[in-house]
Amino acid sequence: MSHADNRPEAPIDELVDEESLVEEVSIDGMCGVY
Amino acid sequence: MTLVAPSPVQTSPVAPARTSSTLMGHFEAGLDAPICLTWELTYACNLSCSHCLSSSGRRDPRELTTEECKAVIDELQRMQVFYVNIGGGEPTVRSDFWELVDYATDHQVGVKFSTNGIKLTPEIAQRLAASDYVDVQISLDGATAEVNDHVRGPGSYDTAMRAMQNLADAGFRGFKISVVCTRENIPQLDEFKAIADRFDAQLRLTRLRPSGRGADVWDDLHPLPEQQRELYDWLVAHGEGVLTGDSFFHLSAFGSALPGLNLCGAGRVVCLIDPIGDVYACPFAIHDEFLAGSIREPGGFEAVWRESELFQRLREPTGGGACASCSFYDSCRGGCMAAKFFTGLPIDGPDPECVRGFGEQLLAERAEDALPKPSGDHSHRTSPPRPRGGAGPVPLTLSVRRPDAPPAHACAESPLAGFSPTTTAAGCACGTDH
Amino acid sequence: MDSIRLDATLTVHPRVSIRPEPFGALLYHFGTRQLSFLKDRVLLDAVRACDGTRTLAQALAEAAVPDAQVERYRRAVATLVHSTMLESRPANEVAA
Ligand code: SF4
Ligand code: SF4
């Protein structure tokens, strides 16, 4: 997952004002088939 | 067992509500349509892999007809499900398989299908290479024939290699080589990467779950604790160049989170349509307990996805149960629901492979009759003959951490440090900040 | 990627599919197999307004983005350009 302008480790509370409007993820990023 | 019943355990502190404005919050609450839909087209398979998640082998006479499959695709198009993961069984043994792939891609539903390679002739490879909307994933569970065939059966390594060669020769770049990580193949990670590089393919490593026949072999095949660490380090070193299906988020407790969504998406962003049209919360949860409905009912798939009582329940906030006080809960989320269910552990507690060792502790303590009975089995009865290992006594692997491999953190030496369901303090009782 | 200017003319990539969701929208790119999540409906409106006929500034106005938020939305759009969900077609470049 590439967080465009939102760091995954950053506590959400600190991002309330500056929360990014876009997040991006690879389609493989979910449990599918083996 | 009513393992997903509304929080039966009230003894543990409830995790603070998640900010609903976050994406995770939206995902946990469910989407209008799944992001990642797995569709198993048939229970028929030419192989009998010992860890098959769907206990496949024989075709089920009730399997969806070509027309029913096309109606499902029409519905997925209406719901704007961007793509489906097609699996099985071996989906390519269905005589209408290529017809259905074409039908899907003609209707703006992309396809990624998983195959053992049996039907991937040079001609088919040419056809696939020409399509922008089809992705192919070849299953390979050993970098050598010896390791692969032990799990997937004699000849399966050669079949997979031939299929990959055909794809590469046809100019199909970036197809996936999908590896289920086991005790036997963790030492081969570099070799898998070399194979992928050789074919200009992308390596995909996923977690072995105790689902289907996997339940019979999980105790013997799932990676040992020090191998989990090795795998985690390897994944961190290779970053986003190696795909994982987001299946190792329980390992993120070793350090920084791995790339991916880091949540159990069952019934929220993920689900399974099985060969007879039954809809389950997740491809690794083929069990009555996780059966949400059938696409054959009035309302079809959309009604099941949006209204099924099971999915509604899975989308409710979970407190985290015994994991709620763990400082890794934010990334680990207590791990995989299916892995817990099929090993007989409580759904709202630690994963059987919890990196802090709580899972192993619970496995050791679980009752004789804790394992759920399988509720469907399409395994070959006779040929190819691969006897299912009975449930039998469970060989537990207790604390086999190598002395030279450091634990995740100090308290991991004592697996129960900080693991008290009544602990109210947030964080771990070991006192260190981790 | 922050270099997308308000006078750029943008279009949604032809192989991108847009699915509205209660929280905003999902964009899926069939070429890169990437998903982008738009976390609000205003951004969705802005993306839909990027149809090659107007500048980004005009698209944001079309979506009723308040002046004080323009920079924030410009940055979000820049992210989408970076991942090729949107394509930049500068006004001085004649479309083929
Ligand atoms: S149950 Fe396990 S395999 Fe299924 S979505 Fe959840 S984490 Fe993934
Ligand atoms: S206790 Fe184990 S399974 Fe639960 S959140 Fe912590 S690391 Fe994960």
Side-chain angles (χ1 to χ4, degrees):
Chain A
M1 184 168 196
S2 63
H3 290 255
D5 47 347
N6 186 358
R7 307 209 14 102
E9 315 84 66
I12 296 298
D13 296 352
E14 289 173 17
L15 292 168
V16 168
D17 288 334
E18 263 308 301
E19 202 193 331
S20 68
L21 292 165
V22 179
E23 280 193 45
E24 300 187 319
V25 68
S26 153
I27 195 68
D28 190 64
M30 276 144 265
C31 301
V33 280
Y34 265 146
Chain B
M1 288 194 183
T2 51
L3 288 161
V4 283
S7 47
V9 180
Q10 292 299 348
T11 48
S12 47
V14 171
R18 302 179 63 80
T19 318
S20 65
S21 69
T22 66
L23 205 50
M24 284 280 277
H26 295 305
F27 287 173
E28 293 194 338
L31 302 172
D32 281 357
I35 293 176
C36 184
L37 172 70
T38 298
W39 187 3
E40 293 180 348
L41 280 179
T42 180
Y43 281 118
C45 189
N46 53 309
L47 300 182
S48 291
C49 303
S50 63
H51 62 339
C52 180
L53 80 165
S54 52
S55 301
S56 284
R58 292 168 291 123
R59 188 183 162 274
D60 191 302
R62 300 165 295 172
E63 286 178 8
L64 300 180
T65 64
T66 306
E67 288 319 305
E68 283 178 305
C69 288
K70 288 182 176 175
V72 169
I73 293 166
D74 291 341
E75 199 177 3
L76 300 182
Q77 180 186 22
R78 272 199 308 279
M79 292 176 75
Q80 277 194 282
V81 172
F82 304 125
Y83 90 122
V84 288
N85 285 307
I86 293 186
E90 172 52 46
T92 62
V93 304
R94 262 188 82 124
S95 56
D96 57 2
F97 178 72
W98 306 109
E99 180 185 350
L100 292 174
V101 169
D102 286 344
Y103 190 84
T105 56
D106 287 346
H107 288 77
Q108 287 81 49
V109 178
V111 167
K112 176 170 90 174
F113 72 89
S114 259
T115 176
N116 56 43
I118 187 73
K119 299 276 184 183
L120 266 179
T121 60
E123 296 72 39
I124 291 288
Q126 294 281 356
R127 244 175 92 178
L128 294 171
S131 171
D132 284 342
Y133 293 90
V134 181
D135 200 3
V136 185
Q137 186 164 293
I138 310 284
S139 302
L140 188 74
D141 293 335
T144 54
E146 188 196 2
V147 171
N148 179 81
D149 293 2
H150 181 239
V151 171
R152 304 187 58 81
S156 58
Y157 182 83
D158 291 340
T159 302
M161 293 309 256
R162 195 162 45 237
M164 290 190 248
Q165 190 63 57
N166 290 343
L167 286 171
D169 289 348
F172 195 123
R173 303 268 163 269
F175 66 86
K176 313 292 183 289
I177 300 179
S178 190
V179 175
V180 178
C181 293
T182 65
R183 199 168 296 184
E184 294 164 1
N185 68 25
I186 294 273
Q188 300 185 311
L189 294 176
D190 288 330
E191 290 166 68
F192 282 119
K193 185 75 174 71
I195 293 173
D197 290 346
R198 174 147 57 91
F199 289 115
D200 208 350
Q202 195 170 17
L203 183 60
R204 179 175 186 267
L205 301 177
T206 59
R207 178 178 182 186
L208 173 71
R209 284 90 161 183
S211 312
R213 283 194 295 269
D216 301 336
V217 294
W218 188 82
D219 286 319
D220 296 328
L221 278 185
H222 83 103
L224 298 168
E226 71 266 23
Q227 291 182 315
Q228 307 276 13
R229 178 81 219 197
E230 185 182 342
L231 172 62
Y232 173 81
D233 290 340
W234 197 91
L235 289 173
V236 168
H238 288 80
E240 302 201 13
V242 172
L243 303 172
T244 63
D246 198 15
S247 57
F248 297 112
F249 62 91
H250 66 301
L251 299 185
S252 55
F254 276 131
S256 59
L258 294 164
L261 286 178
N262 294 317
L263 90 161
C264 169
R268 297 160 163 165
V269 296
V270 170
C271 77
L272 169 77
I273 301 177
D274 93 337
I276 62 173
D278 281 345
V279 181
Y280 292 90
C282 150
F284 298 95
I286 302 182
H287 191 279
D288 290 344
E289 195 75 33
F290 302 107
L291 176 60
S294 166
I295 62 112
R296 280 176 163 150
E297 287 156 17
F301 173 70
E302 185 166 352
V304 177
W305 176 260
R306 298 204 176 143
E307 289 153 28
S308 97
E309 193 252 334
L310 172 74
F311 285 0
Q312 301 292 338
R313 229 183 318 141
L314 289 173
R315 291 165 194 169
E316 279 166 14
T318 54
C323 289
S325 61
C326 175
S327 53
F328 302 121
Y329 183 70
D330 263 354
S331 51
C332 169
R333 315 289 302 161
C336 169
M337 178 182 77
K340 291 186 263 199
F341 177 78
F342 289 114
T343 51
L345 299 189
I347 293 294
D348 66 347
D351 189 283
E353 292 176 334
C354 163
V355 303
R356 298 179 66 184
F358 297 150
E360 283 174 64
Q361 187 80 18
L362 290 171
L363 291 176
E365 290 165 358
R366 87 199 138 162
E368 285 280 315
D369 59 353
L371 290 183
K373 291 201 176 25
S375 54
D377 192 344
H378 292 81
S379 301
H380 291 289
R381 290 206 187 90
T382 49
S383 126
R386 285 182 69 91
R388 296 193 59 173
V394 183
L396 282 170
T397 312
L398 286 170
S399 196
V400 286
R401 184 183 294 117
R402 288 195 313 254
D404 56 331
H409 44 80
C411 72
E413 286 293 8
S414 165
L416 287 187
F419 180 46
S420 155
T422 51
T423 301
T424 47
C428 179
C430 79
T432 58
D433 189 13
H434 57 75
Chain C
M1 69 181 225
D2 264 358
S3 60
I4 281 298
R5 291 168 33 160
L6 288 169
D7 60 3
T9 305
L10 302 174
T11 50
V12 178
H13 191 285
R15 294 182 62 195
V16 167
S17 180
I18 300 176
R19 180 170 112 196
E21 285 285 344
F23 61 85
L26 280 171
L27 266 54
Y28 179 59
H29 195 308
F30 281 95
T32 63
R33 301 202 174 89
Q34 288 276 320
L35 275 174
S36 292
F37 302 90
L38 309 189
K39 296 199 273 181
D40 88 26
R41 285 277 180 157
V42 176
L43 182 57
L44 171 61
D45 291 343
V47 166
R48 281 180 164 156
C50 290
D51 59 358
T53 68
R54 32 172 104 72
T55 64
L56 175 54
Q58 289 165 340
L60 296 184
E62 181 78 20
V65 173
D67 285 350
Q69 294 276 318
V70 163
E71 173 55 20
R72 184 165 176 240
Y73 281 82
R74 187 200 60 78
R75 258 187 287 129
V77 167
T79 305
L80 296 172
V81 172
H82 183 70
S83 55
T84 71
M85 293 286 173
L86 292 172
E87 291 180 309
S88 172
R89 185 162 59 80
N92 60 358
E93 201 176 273
V94 181

